[in-house]
Amino acid sequence: MEIYTLENDFLKMVVSKKGAELLEVIGKSDGYPYLWQGEPAFWGSRAPVLFPIIGNLNQGKYRYDGKEYRMQRHGFAAKSDFECWQNDADEISFSLTHSQATLSQYPFEFRLDVRYRLQNSTITTEYRVENTGSRQMWFSIGGHPGFHCSLNSEGKKAGRLIFERNETVNRLVNELGYLTGREEPFLSDQNIIDLATVDFDSNAKVYIMKNLTSEQVTLEDQKSGKQVRLRFPGFPYLGIWSPANQAPFVCIEPWYGITSVIADSADELEHKPGIQGLAPGECFICSYDITCL
């Protein structure tokens, strides 16, 4: 596995060519591992890039322009080999373009750039999607970074999420990785989620919120006192996920797109929830920041 390192006086970060995935974020002063270390017993990934879909497809397939295609959960980017085309002292960029392998499951010509910038204690992840084909392109994109969170004496997460504003939002109800089409109250004029009270052992392991007024949320580890602040301006969805209550990490996931609603037939791609449209020759750019404190 080919890896690349960026570091300064505050952080050391490691990125893999495979999936353009962030693998490590280490505090330089004390060696604290802010990013989840990918222990296979819980979850072997760390911060995969989700493209060109997010979540599951009904029956693992979708239809577009009268044809049926199959694609795995979260798309193919995380399993693809990217090209590293920029490697500077504080910035590194990777690209993935369409190929015969991608066209067999996703009939669009594209270029996806993933860029990381390290400034002081902040890492900026930027996604740039370009439609290099001759027809409208449909896609979703988002992040899936996992962050270390200590456990308390009861084996639950000793952490809390703090939004910058009080929120009154529902969560999108999901079961076994699919949306049910229902919503239920989640935050009621509050800005703090105590992670010890969130049931990650249920079928609804992903807690999905949409249209938050906050543009940043802070994960506070109540044992170590460490904090990770994730700023996600413009992203319409935010997912909170962990595979189990006793897993010592939580993922904070900014998304343009979400998993499918349970149905009896394959999805129509252009009608998939949260899907983005991009005209030929156009580019879509979004980014989020991770600040380690």
Side-chain angles (χ1 to χ4, degrees):
M1 179 171 59
E2 193 169 347
I3 61 172
Y4 302 82
T5 300
L6 296 181
E7 58 184 307
N8 58 18
D9 292 339
F10 302 92
L11 295 175
K12 173 185 175 182
M13 55 174 285
V14 177
V15 189
S16 173
K17 182 177 178 180
K18 174 73 73 174
E21 183 177 6
L22 190 60
L23 296 182
E24 292 184 10
V25 178
I26 304 293
K28 290 293 287 291
S29 64
D30 56 7
Y32 183 81
Y34 287 95
L35 197 71
W36 167 244
Q37 296 297 286
E39 297 173 24
F42 290 110
W43 184 55
S45 296
R46 295 147 189 235
V49 176
L50 313 184
F51 175 87
I53 61 167
I54 290 173
N56 291 318
L57 295 165
N58 278 302
Q59 303 177 4
K61 55 190 178 183
Y62 69 90
R63 291 189 296 267
Y64 179 73
D65 196 23
K67 297 182 181 180
E68 192 171 88
Y69 299 87
R70 290 189 170 273
M71 194 184 302
Q72 64 186 8
R73 178 183 177 91
H74 293 321
F76 50 73
K79 305 294 185 184
S80 298
D81 286 319
F82 282 66
E83 176 188 355
C84 179
W85 58 270
Q86 179 189 27
N87 188 5
D88 298 331
D90 59 358
E91 190 169 306
I92 188 166
S93 300
F94 300 86
S95 66
L96 177 69
T97 57
H98 66 276
S99 64
Q100 289 303 313
T102 67
L103 290 170
S104 67
Q105 55 186 311
Y106 182 64
F108 302 102
E109 298 177 359
F110 69 90
R111 174 178 171 132
L112 168 62
D113 289 336
V114 179
R115 175 177 295 172
Y116 296 98
R117 290 190 294 270
L118 177 61
Q119 295 179 310
N120 298 325
S121 58
T122 296
I123 298 167
T124 298
T125 301
E126 180 185 275
Y127 302 132
R128 181 182 183 274
V129 181
E130 181 181 359
N131 182 352
T132 59
S134 59
R135 59 178 173 175
Q136 180 89 346
M137 173 181 166
W138 300 97
F139 72 97
S140 290
I141 193 162
H144 199 319
F147 302 104
H148 180 81
C149 184
S150 300
L151 301 181
N152 62 23
S153 59
E154 297 177 349
K156 297 181 179 180
K157 292 174 178 56
R160 59 182 189 165
L161 295 174
I162 307 168
F163 291 91
E164 64 176 334
R165 301 185 183 98
N166 281 10
E167 300 284 352
T168 298
V169 295
N170 293 340
R171 74 174 184 92
L172 308 184
V173 178
N174 66 93
E175 295 177 358
L176 301 176
Y178 294 92
L179 297 178
T180 65
R182 297 185 294 109
E183 298 183 15
E184 64 181 29
F186 188 55
L187 295 176
S188 179
D189 193 27
Q190 62 192 102
N191 73 323
I192 294 177
I193 300 174
D194 181 353
L195 291 174
T197 67
V198 179
D199 185 9
F200 292 108
D201 284 342
S202 69
N203 288 338
K205 294 172 186 275
V206 185
Y207 291 80
I208 305 170
M209 295 162 281
K210 64 178 181 179
N211 299 327
L212 290 162
T213 63
S214 298
E215 290 188 341
Q216 69 180 36
V217 62
T218 299
L219 169 63
E220 180 183 77
D221 189 306
Q222 293 171 290
K223 271 194 171 182
S224 68
K226 297 290 187 179
Q227 294 183 337
V228 175
R229 184 171 299 146
L230 193 143
R231 185 172 177 271
F232 52 96
F235 283 83
Y237 301 97
L238 188 72
I240 307 299
W241 176 82
S242 189
N245 291 338
Q246 70 274 20
F249 75 97
V250 63
C251 291
I252 307 173
E253 309 175 42
W255 294 335
Y256 275 89
I258 47 176
T259 195
S260 295
V261 178
I262 297 172
D264 295 329
S265 59
D267 293 287
E268 296 287 346
L269 185 62
E270 59 266 47
H271 300 307
K272 193 176 189 298
I275 203 76
Q276 304 294 307
L278 196 60
E282 288 191 347
C283 295
F284 173 91
I285 299 174
C286 62
S287 65
Y288 66 91
D289 295 338
I290 298 169
T291 301
C292 301
L293 304 169

